[in-house]
Amino acid sequence: MADKTLRIAVVLSGNGVFDGAEIHETVCTLLAISRAGAEAVCFAPNIPQAHVVNHLTGEEATETRNVLVEAARIARGKIGDLATFDAAAVDALIFPGGFGAAKNLCDFAFKGPDCTVNADVEKAVRAMRAAGKPIGALCIAPAILAKLLGDEGVELTIGSDAETAAALEKLGAKHTNTSHCEVVVDRNLKVVTSPCYMLDASVAQIADGAENAVRALIELAR
């Protein structure tokens, strides 16, 4: 009997590095999942973005946008409301980075260690943790896991930024400095993290980091 196709939930936080999901990280994650023979299932919370940034000028815009609607651009419309997430229907979960992970999925970008996590995001992470299924996070997205799993001493990385690492350790996480494409695997909690654009990285390095993270995630899921 052939191995079943693993289903990996990919939670997006909008569309664009400064106010949503980092597009390179997201696409490289989806590509790595496909090349590994697994199936990506995209989700995003149906909430307003914290704010909208003009990616050409870097200035904040006055308009409002919806996280799920914007994330649907990357997912080519094939995406579900995170409120409908069912841990029993997937084998693993991963969060690409981008400021949206720290602005929309949680508010770490604004409040640091005093942050809170979106209720649907927390529900999904708690459900996966309770089911003993692996969770991955790239770039700044490990901040979500530090907030939710810090009381369990989750081991993770955001690269080598001392100030950010100290904030995550204040939440109870154990941080390991990493370089390009490296992955930290907490085998006890089944958590996989990689720094990606938390470092000054090329697209090729992002692709390698995402692939290494997805491979580690799949190894834990089997």
Side-chain angles (χ1 to χ4, degrees), residues 14-132:
N15 178 21
V17 57
F18 299 125
D19 58 13
E22 210 300 312
I23 296 172
H24 297 166
E25 291 177 3
T26 302
V27 173
C28 288
T29 297
L30 295 173
L31 178 60
I33 291 170
S34 179
R35 283 185 166 168
E39 177 188 357
V41 187
C42 294
F43 292 92
N46 187 10
I47 57 173
Q49 290 184 186
H51 60 191
V52 177
V53 175
N54 181 323
H55 280 59
L56 183 61
T57 65
E59 297 177 353
E60 186 173 346
T62 57
E63 64 188 280
T64 59
R65 297 190 183 186
N66 177 279
V67 172
L68 177 58
V69 172
E70 291 302 298
R73 292 176 178 271
I74 305 177
R76 296 172 59 87
K78 192 175 181 181
I79 191 167
D81 185 337
L82 188 60
T84 68
F85 178 82
D86 179 7
V90 299
D91 301 288
L93 169 69
I94 189 167
F95 295 92
F99 277 102
K103 292 178 177 180
N104 301 326
L105 303 188
C106 71
D107 54 11
F108 180 82
F110 306 116
K111 298 181 179 179
D114 295 322
C115 66
T116 57
V117 177
N118 169 270
D120 290 331
V121 173
E122 178 170 2
K123 183 180 177 182
V125 170
R126 300 277 186 214
M128 293 296 284
R129 178 75 187 97

